């Protein structure tokens, strides 16, 4: 899993974080295509990050790990993931 959609050092640099997310995801896609891993996914992504990833990825995430509870339901993100066939793992 890609644990966090950016680095703490580049919190003030959305362009740098976007590039890091893209490069990291491409590395996971390569590992899956080589057969070195079976499943790839993301953690703590919000809807914006998922839409960005889905618009450019070669392989969709198999799973997303997110926080969901009655006071933080993330309905739009959950809906997007369900539409894309991405398994949701919630804590």
């Amino acid at each position: 899993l890609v644990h966090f959609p950016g680095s703490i050092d580049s919190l003030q640099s959305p362009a740098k974080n976007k590039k890091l997310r893209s490069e990291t995801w491409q590395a996971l896609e390569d590992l899956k295509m080589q057969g070195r891993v079976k499943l790839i996914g993301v953690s703590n992504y919000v809807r914006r990050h998922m839409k960005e990833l889905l618009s450019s990825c070669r392989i969709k995430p198999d799973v997303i790990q997110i926080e969901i509870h009655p006071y933080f339901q993330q309905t739009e993100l959950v809906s997007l993931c369900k539409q894309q066939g991405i398994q949701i793992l919630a804590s």
Side-chain angles (χ1 to χ4, degrees), residues 31-65:
L31 290 171
K32 187 169 182 177
M33 287 190 293
Q34 294 166 7
R36 296 176 68 186
V37 296
K38 291 183 180 182
L39 302 172
I40 55 178
V42 295
S43 178
N44 299 315
Y45 272 42
V46 296
R47 185 172 181 265
R48 175 178 62 87
H49 298 131
M50 283 303 293
K51 288 182 80 172
E52 173 189 287
L53 176 60
L54 292 169
S55 72
S56 63
C57 66
R58 296 173 287 170
I59 302 172
K60 289 191 292 190
D62 296 298
V63 64
I64 182 172
Q65 181 182 37

Side-chain angles (χ1 to χ4, degrees), residues 5-86:
S7 78
I8 293 171
D9 293 339
S10 55
L11 283 175
Q12 300 303 318
S13 177
K16 184 175 181 181
N17 275 333
K18 184 175 181 176
K19 182 176 186 251
L20 287 171
R21 284 190 299 273
S22 177
E23 290 171 351
T24 302
W25 189 253
Q26 287 173 10
L28 288 177
E29 289 175 320
D30 291 344
L31 290 171
K32 187 169 182 177
M33 287 190 293
Q34 294 166 7
R36 296 176 68 186
V37 296
K38 291 183 180 182
L39 302 172
I40 55 178
V42 295
S43 178
N44 299 315
Y45 272 42
V46 296
R47 185 172 181 265
R48 175 178 62 87
H49 298 131
M50 283 303 293
K51 288 182 80 172
E52 173 189 287
L53 176 60
L54 292 169
S55 72
S56 63
C57 66
R58 296 173 287 170
I59 302 172
K60 289 191 292 190
D62 296 298
V63 64
I64 182 172
Q65 181 182 37
I66 54 176
E67 176 185 5
I68 297 177
H69 52 75
Y71 299 107
F72 190 55
Q73 297 181 16
Q74 300 202 66
T75 54
E76 291 180 355
L77 177 58
V78 169
S79 178
L80 173 65
C81 291
K82 285 181 178 181
Q83 289 172 1
Q84 296 293 323
I86 300 168

